[in-house]
Amino acid sequence: MGYNVAIDGPAGAGKSTIARMVAEEKGFVYVDTGAMYRGLAVYFLDRGIGPEETERMEKACEAADVTIRYEDGAQQVYLNGENITGRLREEAVGNMASRCAAVPAVREKLLELQRRLAKEQDVIMDGRDIGTCVLPDADVKVFLTASVRTRAERRYKELKEKGENVNLAEIEEDIRERDERDSTREIAPLKKAEDAVLVDSSRMTIQEVVRTIAALCRK
Ligand code: DC
């Protein structure tokens, strides 16, 4: 069994940035489970499946093979043999991922892959249900959050730097909607595990958050 660190929290809390940095410091493998949902979302979008068509998603996901490979230490997502990592951050993909993540067959499909990765190696895995459902016996559990405003501002800055034409109020609304959808779905909702340490990064620097989480890891 590998040493397992679970990081859960809402969209935009900084999970992936922080997890990647802690992984590097500690020599763990960073597993981004959101990218797996995004991988399946690409599959559904390419087949013209709409966000409400859950039955079609259930059927279609049988033929979708999502695999993860590590190339130069970075996680790459393959969909039926094709590397689709470059498409994962598109806005439409994120929205579809949030929809398909509420479909039980989709979650089941990815759960096995996630558990296998954690069994074989020391991992820091981020997502929404890692501490509550995927790795309930993780050695360290963190619930990383930040206020909606802070998360919207971070996202706004990130997109602006990429030269995109964005609107802060719209981003804030989008984050609110996604939080609502991720936290109220019936299956594996976003929720702090009872034994998770709560870290609110609203007023912390990235380095402070990394230091706080790295200090919890006894390996
Ligand atoms: O972290 P992210 O934005 O890349 O995740 C994309 C979507 O996938 C998000 O809306 C919620 C869902 N997700 C999930 O339900 N469970 C996980 N373990 C990871 C992500």
Side-chain angles (χ1 to χ4, degrees):
M1 192 76 189
Y3 190 80
N4 291 169
V5 182
I7 311 238
D8 291 300
K15 297 186 298 296
S16 58
T17 306
I18 304 291
R20 199 171 283 120
M21 290 171 80
V22 174
E24 189 163 334
E25 190 176 320
K26 292 284 182 180
F28 301 156
V29 171
Y30 166 50
V31 180
D32 173 359
T33 65
M36 300 177 189
Y37 287 93
R38 288 171 184 263
L40 280 181
V42 167
Y43 185 77
F44 298 142
L45 286 170
D46 285 354
R47 267 145 202 83
I49 297 177
E52 315 285 348
E53 295 185 289
T54 54
E55 271 180 32
R56 282 186 74 195
M57 286 182 206
E58 255 171 55
K59 285 226 169 62
C61 85
E62 285 170 22
D65 180 33
V66 175
T67 50
I68 299 296
R69 284 186 216 154
Y70 292 91
E71 294 167 12
D72 294 329
Q75 175 177 300
Q76 303 290 320
V77 178
Y78 283 79
L79 178 62
N80 293 343
E82 185 194 348
N83 187 336
I84 50 143
T85 313
R87 295 183 56 194
L88 301 181
R89 306 316 301 177
E90 290 165 15
E91 212 55 29
V93 172
N95 284 327
M96 185 61 157
S98 170
R99 302 284 183 160
C100 76
V103 177
V106 166
R107 301 204 73 84
E108 253 168 55
K109 188 169 182 87
L110 297 179
L111 183 65
E112 196 192 328
L113 172 63
Q114 292 159 1
R115 287 196 175 142
R116 184 156 39 81
L117 289 170
K119 201 168 174 181
E120 290 166 354
Q121 55 204 343
D122 295 341
V123 298
I124 179 161
M125 185 177 285
D126 79 352
R128 304 294 189 287
D129 62 334
I130 311 304
T132 51
C133 172
V134 181
L135 305 174
D137 299 323
D139 299 278
V140 176
K141 294 183 190 178
V142 173
F143 193 82
L144 182 64
T145 188
S147 68
V148 172
R149 186 71 194 192
T150 305
R151 289 186 280 134
E153 281 169 359
R154 287 177 186 163
R155 181 93 186 115
Y156 176 80
K157 215 173 134 224
E158 197 180 290
L159 292 172
K160 199 97 190 169
E161 276 164 13
K162 278 195 205 157
E164 289 186 33
N165 189 11
V166 281
N167 174 303
L168 182 60
E170 273 174 24
I171 293 179
E172 198 169 327
E173 189 47 36
D174 201 52
I175 286 182
R176 247 181 245 285
E177 266 176 35
R178 201 174 298 188
D179 280 3
E180 172 76 14
R181 207 159 45 227
D182 292 344
S183 324
T184 57
R185 67 175 176 228
E186 262 174 49
I187 178 167
L190 168 67
K191 190 173 92 190
K192 179 185 165 301
E194 265 175 34
D195 52 350
V197 177
L198 177 72
V199 179
D200 184 333
S201 73
S202 303
R203 289 166 193 278
M204 292 169 85
T205 63
I206 291 176
Q207 282 305 336
E208 282 170 334
V209 180
V210 170
R211 234 178 290 134
T212 304
I213 296 177
L216 295 169
C217 305
R218 301 279 174 221
K219 179 162 182 173

